[in-house]
Amino acid sequence: MAERGILTVVSGFSGAGKGTLMKELLRNYDGYALSISATTRSPREGEEHGREYFFLEREAFEELIETDRLLEHARYQDNYYGTPRDYVEEMLEQGFDVILEIEVQGGAQIREKVPDALLIFVTPPSAEELRRRLVSRGTETPEKIRGRLLRAEEEAEYMPLYDAILVNDDLDTCVRELHSLIRNAHMRSSSRAPFISQMKQELKELNQGGY
């Protein structure tokens, strides 16, 4: 039977490079799966149910909320977004380390519902570098950039909640460090509960056998 996977939450400022980091992690290492969120918004052109999102009717989504079958959820612009518990559990049981890229409020919900999840916050090396990256995109107005920086100031308040702060200065180094953090999490006692239980039982049987 495969070792149960680790649920890893990755949050961070807009412009920290989370998307690129996830893509490179999956390209360089096996055994990872990206969690798929559920949403009540309509699919955009080219999107497929079960690939980009699980597209649900509002009633179906609210039933997931009422039956506690979401690990976290939020409402943005009159649409729900959330992480289905069943999908994540299935992937973890298959031995995949599941990566969940979500906002800090969702990370706080995961911390309450899944205490042994690994929470990682991705950040540039400085606030000035964050501003530079947002500007260099060339896709947003100064007003939107200002809004993202104000939002980053709010998100920074959640940083102490996270198990690790990952500074994304050099991409290759950051990918290796992320992989190492997740592999090390497999060694935590909470993650090794089945092995601990097995060892305790074996020792009990050994001693009962009159060694």
Side-chain angles (χ1 to χ4, degrees), residues 116-181:
D116 63 347
L118 175 65
L119 272 61
I120 299 174
F121 194 96
V122 181
T123 176
S126 69
E128 178 57 32
E129 174 62 15
L130 176 61
R131 187 196 66 80
R132 189 196 67 78
R133 291 183 188 182
L134 290 171
V135 171
S136 67
R137 286 176 173 178
T139 58
E140 297 180 332
T141 64
E143 290 75 17
K144 285 189 176 181
I145 292 173
R146 172 66 174 164
R148 292 194 183 279
L149 290 172
L150 288 171
R151 171 64 178 157
E153 185 176 352
E154 296 173 356
E155 291 172 328
E157 295 297 321
Y158 288 81
M159 292 174 74
L161 173 71
Y162 284 71
D163 299 304
I165 305 300
L166 193 57
V167 177
N168 187 10
D169 193 5
D170 177 78
L171 179 61
D172 291 340
T173 300
C174 196
V175 170
R176 290 194 299 270
E177 289 176 345
L178 177 58
H179 176 66
S180 179
L181 284 168

Side-chain angles (χ1 to χ4, degrees), residues 73-85:
H73 71 278
R75 190 170 176 174
Y76 299 105
Q77 298 180 344
D78 204 36
N79 282 306
Y80 285 116
Y81 295 83
T83 302
R85 184 189 295 271

Side-chain angles (χ1 to χ4, degrees), residues 18 24 45 51 74 93 102 106-107 119 127 152 155 182 198 209:
K18 301 183 298 298
E24 288 300 299
E45 184 176 352
R51 189 179 67 186
E93 287 298 328
I102 54 175
L119 272 61
E155 291 172 328
I182 297 171
Q198 175 186 334

Side-chain angles (χ1 to χ4, degrees), residues 17-32:
K18 301 183 298 298
T20 303
L21 185 59
M22 299 299 98
K23 183 188 299 183
E24 288 300 299
L25 180 72
L26 269 66
R27 188 175 71 85
N28 285 279
Y29 300 101
D30 296 326
Y32 289 105

Side-chain angles (χ1 to χ4, degrees), residues 4 37 90 92-93 98 116 125 162 164 176 184 194 206:
R4 180 178 168 85
S37 296
E90 179 183 344
L92 291 173
E93 287 298 328
V98 179
D116 63 347
Y162 284 71
R176 290 194 299 270
N184 288 340
L206 184 66

